[in-house]
Each structure stands twice: as C-alpha cells, then as structure tokens.
Amino acid sequence: MYRFLLTPRWWGINVFVLLAIPFCVFMGSWQLSRFEGRVQDHRAATEQATSDRTEAARPLDSMLPVDKSTSGRRVTAGGHYGKQLLVPGRELDGKRGFYVLTLLRTDSGKALPVVRGWLPGTADPAKAPAPPAGEVTVTGALQASETPGDNGVGAQGGLPAGQTAAISSASLVNLVPYRLYDAWVTLDKGDAGMKAVPASAPSGTGLDLKAFQNLGYTGEWFVFAGFVVFMWFRLLRRELEFQRDAALGLVPEDQERTPVPSG
C-alpha cells in the first residue's frame, strides 16, 4: 500500500519535507536566541545603570572607546569650557525643551561634549546659562555618539547657528574648532539650576520593536514547520484514499496510471 512512497514524485516530496522542517526549526531557534539576547542585554543594561549611579567615577580616557560595557558608566574629566551649543527638540519628564551642550577642552587637546542640563521651551541662547570660567572638573555618565533619526534624536537640517540636532562627533566637527572625542557626557547634576539629563541605555539593548519582531519571526518559523508536517500528512492521506479507491475500481483507468490528488 505504501509503495507509492518510493516513486520519484514522493521522493521529491519527502526530501523537501526532510530539508524544510530542520531549516524552519533552525531559523525559529535562531530568531528566539536573538530575542533572548536582547532581553539579556536589556536586563544587563538596567542593572548596570542602577550600579553606575553609585560607583566611583573613573578617568575618561580609561573608559574609551564607548561600547555596551562602558556606556552609562560614570567618568570624570578636567579642562576649560569652550564653545556652547543648544540641542533643540529634546523631551524630559514629558515636556519639550532643549539641552545645553558645552565643549570641555581637555589637556589632551581634544574637546569633550558635555550636556550641562535641560531647559524647557524653545531653544534660545539667552535662556542658557553661561558655563563656569577657569579650570573645571566634570563628572557624569559616558554616552556614545548619537545617530540622527534614532531613539528620538533629531535629523532635521537647517538649524540656526549655535544649534545641533545630534550629539556626535560627525555632527559637531563642522560646528566647533576643536578635535573631538567620539563620546559625550551628561552631568550627574544639572549645572546652574538646569535639570540633569538621564543617561540613555546603549543602542541595541532596549526591548524595542525590533526585539519583538524577532519573537514574531520565531513563531512564524515554527508555524511553517508545523504547516509542512500537516501538508505531508494530508498528501499521504489523499494518496492512501486514492490507492484504496483504485483497488475498489472506483478510479477511471486513465487516472489510475497517474494519480493526482485533488486540492
């Protein structure tokens, strides 16, 4: 009764099924591992952010370059404040406002972008407090350069002079006359009465839409695997029914030579 399984047609079906099921399971497992990795990164970033608030600040140069293990860590740096810029369109506590960004010229010859605080309303140089004069030491959370268009970072161009949409060396290089660190710092305490800007989690560690897309793809691949098994058993049952009908003489002779189960 099962001799039809040895026909070329069924050999092709069986080979396809034997290849498709492991492939679907592998892809589903891979997508699941990516989701679990993002969950683990999110948990680690949350735990790190909690511990970073109490750990001793370390010298800036010892924490560079910025990566997932150093982003958000407390650092300290010394120097003189230089050019000041405003970063418009930033929200804090549900209110819209702007960051006050001042370049700290360090002894290394490079300048470190420092977010001294946040103010509500439209970006206006008259509202931004002037930076302290003389030698200063800053302490705050280390952050990676922002990417315009990601995580609420503005990507608009044509801003007034003295403003920047993103805090990154690529955006600032044409706005300030200094060599720049590929990083920035947000102060632990807002300067001159401004609100401190909380450190953000490293890129790729949040449970964002991409993370849940991985979970959705996991389900899709396992559903595909189940569908392949379902269709194989359905074709097998149809073939067995055809063979039974042929044995009872219920199938016309021309169809008996080339059985083609109906859809």
Side-chain angles (χ1 to χ4, degrees), residues 31 34-35 38 150 206-217:
Q31 290 288 352
R34 285 178 61 86
F35 174 74
R38 287 179 178 270
D150 288 350
L207 293 181
D208 53 10
L209 178 61
K210 290 183 179 180
F212 289 101
Q213 282 179 339
N214 291 134
L215 188 60
Y217 294 149

PDB file of all heavy atoms in Angstrom, residues 31 34-35 38 150 206-217:
ATOM      1  N   GLN A  31      16.004  32.993  15.649  1.00  0.00           N
ATOM      2  CA  GLN A  31      15.269  34.215  15.969  1.00  0.00           C
ATOM      3  C   GLN A  31      14.961  34.284  17.467  1.00  0.00           C
ATOM      4  O   GLN A  31      15.024  35.359  18.077  1.00  0.00           O
ATOM      5  CB  GLN A  31      13.965  34.276  15.168  1.00  0.00           C
ATOM      6  CG  GLN A  31      14.137  34.503  13.685  1.00  0.00           C
ATOM      7  CD  GLN A  31      14.580  35.918  13.354  1.00  0.00           C
ATOM      8  OE1 GLN A  31      14.627  36.789  14.215  1.00  0.00           O
ATOM      9  NE2 GLN A  31      14.927  36.163  12.089  1.00  0.00           N
ATOM     10  N   ARG A  34      17.996  35.431  19.284  1.00  0.00           N
ATOM     11  CA  ARG A  34      18.197  36.878  19.138  1.00  0.00           C
ATOM     12  C   ARG A  34      17.295  37.642  20.100  1.00  0.00           C
ATOM     13  O   ARG A  34      17.716  38.642  20.709  1.00  0.00           O
ATOM     14  CB  ARG A  34      17.928  37.308  17.693  1.00  0.00           C
ATOM     15  CG  ARG A  34      19.036  36.917  16.726  1.00  0.00           C
ATOM     16  CD  ARG A  34      18.682  37.322  15.303  1.00  0.00           C
ATOM     17  NE  ARG A  34      18.497  38.747  15.163  1.00  0.00           N
ATOM     18  CZ  ARG A  34      19.476  39.619  14.929  1.00  0.00           C
ATOM     19  NH1 ARG A  34      20.719  39.188  14.802  1.00  0.00           N
ATOM     20  NH2 ARG A  34      19.222  40.905  14.803  1.00  0.00           N
ATOM     21  N   PHE A  35      16.059  37.208  20.251  1.00  0.00           N
ATOM     22  CA  PHE A  35      15.155  37.861  21.202  1.00  0.00           C
ATOM     23  C   PHE A  35      15.662  37.693  22.627  1.00  0.00           C
ATOM     24  O   PHE A  35      15.683  38.656  23.410  1.00  0.00           O
ATOM     25  CB  PHE A  35      13.746  37.279  21.077  1.00  0.00           C
ATOM     26  CG  PHE A  35      12.786  37.795  22.124  1.00  0.00           C
ATOM     27  CD1 PHE A  35      12.279  39.086  22.034  1.00  0.00           C
ATOM     28  CD2 PHE A  35      12.418  36.995  23.189  1.00  0.00           C
ATOM     29  CE1 PHE A  35      11.405  39.565  23.000  1.00  0.00           C
ATOM     30  CE2 PHE A  35      11.545  37.475  24.164  1.00  0.00           C
ATOM     31  CZ  PHE A  35      11.031  38.762  24.063  1.00  0.00           C
ATOM     32  N   ARG A  38      18.496  40.019  23.274  1.00  0.00           N
ATOM     33  CA  ARG A  38      18.070  41.396  23.515  1.00  0.00           C
ATOM     34  C   ARG A  38      17.498  41.552  24.922  1.00  0.00           C
ATOM     35  O   ARG A  38      17.721  42.573  25.584  1.00  0.00           O
ATOM     36  CB  ARG A  38      17.024  41.813  22.474  1.00  0.00           C
ATOM     37  CG  ARG A  38      17.601  42.043  21.078  1.00  0.00           C
ATOM     38  CD  ARG A  38      16.509  42.426  20.103  1.00  0.00           C
ATOM     39  NE  ARG A  38      17.046  42.701  18.780  1.00  0.00           N
ATOM     40  CZ  ARG A  38      17.455  43.888  18.365  1.00  0.00           C
ATOM     41  NH1 ARG A  38      17.390  44.921  19.188  1.00  0.00           N
ATOM     42  NH2 ARG A  38      17.929  44.069  17.144  1.00  0.00           N
ATOM     43  N   ASP A 150      17.534  58.160  15.234  1.00  0.00           N
ATOM     44  CA  ASP A 150      17.331  57.020  16.129  1.00  0.00           C
ATOM     45  C   ASP A 150      16.995  57.497  17.534  1.00  0.00           C
ATOM     46  O   ASP A 150      17.529  58.498  18.023  1.00  0.00           O
ATOM     47  CB  ASP A 150      18.591  56.154  16.201  1.00  0.00           C
ATOM     48  CG  ASP A 150      18.820  55.358  14.934  1.00  0.00           C
ATOM     49  OD1 ASP A 150      17.899  55.336  14.088  1.00  0.00           O
ATOM     50  OD2 ASP A 150      19.902  54.782  14.788  1.00  0.00           O
ATOM     51  N   GLY A 206      17.608  47.810  24.276  1.00  0.00           N
ATOM     52  CA  GLY A 206      16.237  48.003  24.717  1.00  0.00           C
ATOM     53  C   GLY A 206      15.279  46.989  24.113  1.00  0.00           C
ATOM     54  O   GLY A 206      15.553  46.384  23.080  1.00  0.00           O
ATOM     55  N   LEU A 207      14.131  46.789  24.783  1.00  0.00           N
ATOM     56  CA  LEU A 207      13.092  45.904  24.250  1.00  0.00           C
ATOM     57  C   LEU A 207      12.211  46.731  23.314  1.00  0.00           C
ATOM     58  O   LEU A 207      11.066  47.063  23.620  1.00  0.00           O
ATOM     59  CB  LEU A 207      12.275  45.305  25.404  1.00  0.00           C
ATOM     60  CG  LEU A 207      13.040  44.331  26.305  1.00  0.00           C
ATOM     61  CD1 LEU A 207      12.129  43.797  27.393  1.00  0.00           C
ATOM     62  CD2 LEU A 207      13.629  43.194  25.498  1.00  0.00           C
ATOM     63  N   ASP A 208      12.758  47.049  22.141  1.00  0.00           N
ATOM     64  CA  ASP A 208      12.057  47.875  21.185  1.00  0.00           C
ATOM     65  C   ASP A 208      11.294  47.012  20.188  1.00  0.00           C
ATOM     66  O   ASP A 208      11.171  45.797  20.346  1.00  0.00           O
ATOM     67  CB  ASP A 208      13.038  48.794  20.456  1.00  0.00           C
ATOM     68  CG  ASP A 208      14.206  48.020  19.840  1.00  0.00           C
ATOM     69  OD1 ASP A 208      14.139  46.768  19.812  1.00  0.00           O
ATOM     70  OD2 ASP A 208      15.165  48.648  19.386  1.00  0.00           O
ATOM     71  N   LEU A 209      10.785  47.643  19.132  1.00  0.00           N
ATOM     72  CA  LEU A 209      10.009  46.934  18.124  1.00  0.00           C
ATOM     73  C   LEU A 209      10.817  45.821  17.472  1.00  0.00           C
ATOM     74  O   LEU A 209      10.287  44.734  17.195  1.00  0.00           O
ATOM     75  CB  LEU A 209       9.515  47.926  17.062  1.00  0.00           C
ATOM     76  CG  LEU A 209       8.711  47.338  15.898  1.00  0.00           C
ATOM     77  CD1 LEU A 209       7.451  46.660  16.407  1.00  0.00           C
ATOM     78  CD2 LEU A 209       8.352  48.442  14.896  1.00  0.00           C
ATOM     79  N   LYS A 210      12.112  46.056  17.238  1.00  0.00           N
ATOM     80  CA  LYS A 210      12.941  45.042  16.596  1.00  0.00           C
ATOM     81  C   LYS A 210      13.026  43.781  17.444  1.00  0.00           C
ATOM     82  O   LYS A 210      13.051  42.667  16.914  1.00  0.00           O
ATOM     83  CB  LYS A 210      14.337  45.602  16.336  1.00  0.00           C
ATOM     84  CG  LYS A 210      14.391  46.668  15.253  1.00  0.00           C
ATOM     85  CD  LYS A 210      15.811  47.127  15.000  1.00  0.00           C
ATOM     86  CE  LYS A 210      15.865  48.181  13.906  1.00  0.00           C
ATOM     87  NZ  LYS A 210      17.243  48.651  13.651  1.00  0.00           N
ATOM     88  N   ALA A 211      13.083  43.962  18.776  1.00  0.00           N
ATOM     89  CA  ALA A 211      13.160  42.801  19.655  1.00  0.00           C
ATOM     90  C   ALA A 211      11.904  41.941  19.515  1.00  0.00           C
ATOM     91  O   ALA A 211      11.980  40.712  19.407  1.00  0.00           O
ATOM     92  CB  ALA A 211      13.347  43.248  21.104  1.00  0.00           C
ATOM     93  N   PHE A 212      10.740  42.582  19.507  1.00  0.00           N
ATOM     94  CA  PHE A 212       9.502  41.817  19.406  1.00  0.00           C
ATOM     95  C   PHE A 212       9.260  41.305  17.987  1.00  0.00           C
ATOM     96  O   PHE A 212       8.506  40.346  17.796  1.00  0.00           O
ATOM     97  CB  PHE A 212       8.335  42.661  19.910  1.00  0.00           C
ATOM     98  CG  PHE A 212       8.363  42.870  21.397  1.00  0.00           C
ATOM     99  CD1 PHE A 212       8.826  44.048  21.934  1.00  0.00           C
ATOM    100  CD2 PHE A 212       7.973  41.862  22.261  1.00  0.00           C
ATOM    101  CE1 PHE A 212       8.887  44.236  23.300  1.00  0.00           C
ATOM    102  CE2 PHE A 212       8.023  42.030  23.623  1.00  0.00           C
ATOM    103  CZ  PHE A 212       8.478  43.222  24.159  1.00  0.00           C
ATOM    104  N   GLN A 213       9.902  41.929  16.999  1.00  0.00           N
ATOM    105  CA  GLN A 213       9.865  41.358  15.656  1.00  0.00           C
ATOM    106  C   GLN A 213      10.577  40.009  15.643  1.00  0.00           C
ATOM    107  O   GLN A 213      10.109  39.066  14.991  1.00  0.00           O
ATOM    108  CB  GLN A 213      10.521  42.314  14.664  1.00  0.00           C
ATOM    109  CG  GLN A 213       9.651  43.481  14.241  1.00  0.00           C
ATOM    110  CD  GLN A 213      10.341  44.406  13.274  1.00  0.00           C
ATOM    111  OE1 GLN A 213      11.571  44.433  13.188  1.00  0.00           O
ATOM    112  NE2 GLN A 213       9.577  45.190  12.537  1.00  0.00           N
ATOM    113  N   ASN A 214      11.701  39.913  16.354  1.00  0.00           N
ATOM    114  CA  ASN A 214      12.400  38.638  16.446  1.00  0.00           C
ATOM    115  C   ASN A 214      11.499  37.573  17.060  1.00  0.00           C
ATOM    116  O   ASN A 214      11.487  36.419  16.613  1.00  0.00           O
ATOM    117  CB  ASN A 214      13.664  38.775  17.302  1.00  0.00           C
ATOM    118  CG  ASN A 214      14.732  39.614  16.646  1.00  0.00           C
ATOM    119  OD1 ASN A 214      15.330  40.487  17.266  1.00  0.00           O
ATOM    120  ND2 ASN A 214      15.000  39.374  15.370  1.00  0.00           N
ATOM    121  N   LEU A 215      10.739  37.943  18.087  1.00  0.00           N
ATOM    122  CA  LEU A 215       9.826  36.989  18.716  1.00  0.00           C
ATOM    123  C   LEU A 215       8.721  36.583  17.746  1.00  0.00           C
ATOM    124  O   LEU A 215       8.336  35.409  17.682  1.00  0.00           O
ATOM    125  CB  LEU A 215       9.223  37.617  19.973  1.00  0.00           C
ATOM    126  CG  LEU A 215       8.388  36.685  20.857  1.00  0.00           C
ATOM    127  CD1 LEU A 215       9.235  35.520  21.355  1.00  0.00           C
ATOM    128  CD2 LEU A 215       7.799  37.443  22.038  1.00  0.00           C
ATOM    129  N   GLY A 216       8.216  37.546  16.962  1.00  0.00           N
ATOM    130  CA  GLY A 216       7.192  37.223  15.972  1.00  0.00           C
ATOM    131  C   GLY A 216       7.714  36.299  14.888  1.00  0.00           C
ATOM    132  O   GLY A 216       7.031  35.351  14.477  1.00  0.00           O
ATOM    133  N   TYR A 217       8.948  36.544  14.427  1.00  0.00           N
ATOM    134  CA  TYR A 217       9.552  35.678  13.418  1.00  0.00           C
ATOM    135  C   TYR A 217       9.756  34.268  13.959  1.00  0.00           C
ATOM    136  O   TYR A 217       9.649  33.282  13.209  1.00  0.00           O
ATOM    137  CB  TYR A 217      10.893  36.253  12.957  1.00  0.00           C
ATOM    138  CG  TYR A 217      10.793  37.565  12.217  1.00  0.00           C
ATOM    139  CD1 TYR A 217      11.816  38.504  12.282  1.00  0.00           C
ATOM    140  CD2 TYR A 217       9.670  37.865  11.450  1.00  0.00           C
ATOM    141  CE1 TYR A 217      11.724  39.714  11.601  1.00  0.00           C
ATOM    142  CE2 TYR A 217       9.573  39.062  10.778  1.00  0.00           C
ATOM    143  CZ  TYR A 217      10.605  39.984  10.853  1.00  0.00           C
ATOM    144  OH  TYR A 217      10.510  41.168  10.174  1.00  0.00           O
TER     145      TYR A 217
END
